[in-house]
Amino acid sequence: MAILESVYKEIFHNFVTATRILVIGHLSPDGDALSSVCSLLELSERYNIFARGFCSDYRSTGTFDYLPHIQKIAATPECLGELDNYSLIIVVDCGSLARTNLAEQIKSLKEKSKRPLLIEFDHHPNSEHWSDLELRLPEKAATTEIIYDFLKINGEEINRDLADCILTGLLSDTGNFLYSKTSIDNLSIASEMVACGARFTKIINRLIRNQSLLTMKLWGLAFNNLRLNKKYNLAFSVLTRPEVDEILKSATSEEWNRFSSQDIFGEIAGWLSNISEVDAIMVLREEPEGLVKGSLRSSQDGVDVSKLARMFGGGGHPKASGFTLKGRLLKDGDRWKIV
Ligand SMILES: [Mn+2]
């Protein structure tokens, strides 16, 4: 559904008249979440407004150190002070309020008479309506594509820093323009961002050449464990905790940092969706807390893996989604069970 220009303008008016802004991305942020936060921090600097960023559990690995103001992104809520000290809170790219890791604090704000205005920018479909104003456009490839429209509609100049943010989000969320959802708009915005000074080669190198030896060993494990479910034409790889731990035990602290800040298993699933003869990919792995996580991807037209994810209580996009289940993986003959 198209969103009226007046909503972009109303949000902009609230932005430029705010006194203290907090911009929140999702936990373990990806390139789109970090770029979305950084672009709004850049805009707040343009208007001399105090602003902070927050992404729960964000660990800098240097991959995105070229993004403006990235050092202003806090990873723990203690660094933020009281949330009602902000006049405006903007949540970007989160999909659900839970992924802010501040859901309770944000919900409790709504009971207060004097509280920050709550705004959401997102391209994930969602049924929760907790914000005062939202720009939710599931047809957009990245949240930074929504921010691009927000800047354009409000007549803001796109400088090199903003262009770097917008291009980074677009590249991150389209798998460097490989996903089938990549649109003409995405490519034309990307070329405009390069014309505005975005460092295309630098960004693409950071996004692709950011793997460590440790992550390559995990890729090897996932490739080795790959099987085919002929009934559903689904390729899947199952990674048990002992197998993953065996690789992780030799990790240096830098490799560990990189491992925990990247969605490595999602990236592996994304790469596996290049297999041309299957309809979908699933990567299942055991997490330490007695959880089994699944990443689903597809590159085939007409396949919506988010339906499968929702059956398991998860969600996401038609071509990229995931779920989490309680339990452990158990091999039963040729089959895997979650018990
Ligand atoms: Mn995104």
Side-chain angles (χ1 to χ4, degrees):
M1 198 175 68
I3 291 182
L4 293 174
E5 256 189 45
S6 60
V7 179
Y8 291 86
K9 291 190 169 157
E10 189 182 356
I11 289 177
F12 185 77
H13 173 77
N14 282 297
F15 190 100
V16 295
T17 54
T19 50
R20 287 170 61 89
I21 299 177
L22 174 61
V23 189
I24 302 172
H26 58 75
L27 53 99
S28 307
D30 57 10
D32 187 32
L34 289 171
S35 303
S36 299
V37 173
C38 289
S39 62
L40 294 177
L41 294 179
E42 171 68 13
L43 187 64
S44 66
E45 188 182 71
R46 188 173 283 181
Y47 285 91
N48 288 318
I49 304 165
F50 173 89
R52 289 296 304 272
F54 176 75
C55 291
S56 184
D57 306 328
Y58 166 57
R59 288 188 185 86
S60 170
T61 57
T63 302
F64 295 108
D65 62 3
Y66 60 90
L67 293 174
H69 315 290
I70 195 149
Q71 71 286 356
K72 289 186 196 161
I73 298 182
T76 55
E78 295 76 50
C79 306
L80 303 175
E82 292 298 321
L83 294 191
D84 45 8
N85 283 337
Y86 293 89
S87 61
L88 174 61
I89 294 180
I90 307 178
V91 173
V92 293
D93 198 42
C94 280
S96 69
L97 192 55
R99 294 184 77 217
T100 60
N101 246 1
L102 291 171
E104 288 316 307
Q105 293 93 316
I106 292 173
K107 275 186 195 152
S108 69
L109 282 174
K110 296 202 77 167
E111 280 131 43
K112 300 191 174 177
S113 54
K114 196 175 172 305
R115 65 164 175 91
L117 188 75
L118 302 171
I119 290 179
E120 207 180 359
F121 284 53
D122 202 2
H123 68 127
H124 297 90
N126 188 359
S127 53
E128 289 176 300
H129 293 286
W130 54 267
S131 55
D132 300 306
L133 286 166
E134 68 172 13
L135 285 175
R136 178 179 305 288
L137 294 138
E139 67 271 28
K140 299 288 182 183
T143 298
T144 62
E145 195 182 352
I146 302 172
I147 289 172
Y148 167 86
D149 289 341
F150 175 68
L151 296 170
K152 288 298 243 193
I153 288 171
N154 290 296
E156 284 298 316
E157 185 210 330
I158 296 179
N159 62 13
R160 189 188 74 169
D161 280 336
L162 288 170
D164 276 343
C165 291
I166 290 164
L167 185 60
T168 299
L170 277 173
L171 284 166
S172 297
D173 273 19
T174 59
N176 306 315
F177 301 138
L178 283 175
Y179 299 163
S180 60
K181 213 186 158 192
T182 306
S183 66
I184 295 171
D185 277 354
N186 298 158
L187 297 172
S188 97
I189 294 170
S191 78
E192 187 185 335
M193 292 307 100
V194 175
C196 291
R199 293 163 286 182
F200 183 79
T201 310
K202 175 171 193 151
I203 296 170
I204 206 112
N205 277 335
R206 291 297 182 94
L207 289 171
I208 295 173
R209 301 200 171 108
N210 66 348
Q211 309 296 346
S212 66
L213 195 61
L214 178 97
T215 60
M216 282 300 139
K217 288 181 184 166
L218 289 169
W219 281 65
L221 175 66
F223 284 9
N224 198 40
N225 292 359
L226 194 63
R227 300 287 180 274
L228 177 67
N229 179 316
K230 286 197 179 123
K231 188 176 167 193
Y232 297 107
N233 200 24
L234 170 91
F236 66 96
S237 184
V238 176
L239 291 79
T240 63
R241 201 64 223 166
E243 288 174 308
V244 173
D245 281 345
E246 180 60 29
I247 292 172
L248 292 182
K249 76 176 187 203
S250 61
T252 62
S253 63
E254 198 197 320
E255 283 177 324
W256 180 260
N257 248 352
R258 226 187 272 190
F259 168 73
S260 31
S261 66
Q262 266 177 291
D263 175 18
I264 285 173
F265 300 107
E267 288 172 18
I268 292 172
W271 175 255
L272 289 174
S273 69
N274 291 328
I275 303 171
S276 59
E277 66 262 42
V278 299
D279 287 332
I281 291 292
M282 178 164 69
V283 174
L284 280 180
R285 71 281 182 187
E286 288 175 315
E287 296 281 316
E289 319 80 41
L291 298 172
V292 175
K293 285 196 175 180
S295 297
L296 291 158
R297 298 288 185 278
S298 176
S299 53
Q300 303 295 329
D301 289 339
V303 176
D304 180 354
V305 290
S306 70
K307 286 185 184 167
L308 188 56
R310 279 198 295 276
M311 276 174 59
F312 296 125
H317 304 288
K319 299 288 174 235
S321 27
F323 59 86
T324 302
L325 294 169
K326 281 201 180 117
R328 285 180 43 247
L329 290 160
L330 190 74
K331 188 135 200 203
D332 177 17
D334 265 358
R335 298 152 60 93
W336 284 97
K337 286 204 258 183
I338 296 177
V339 294

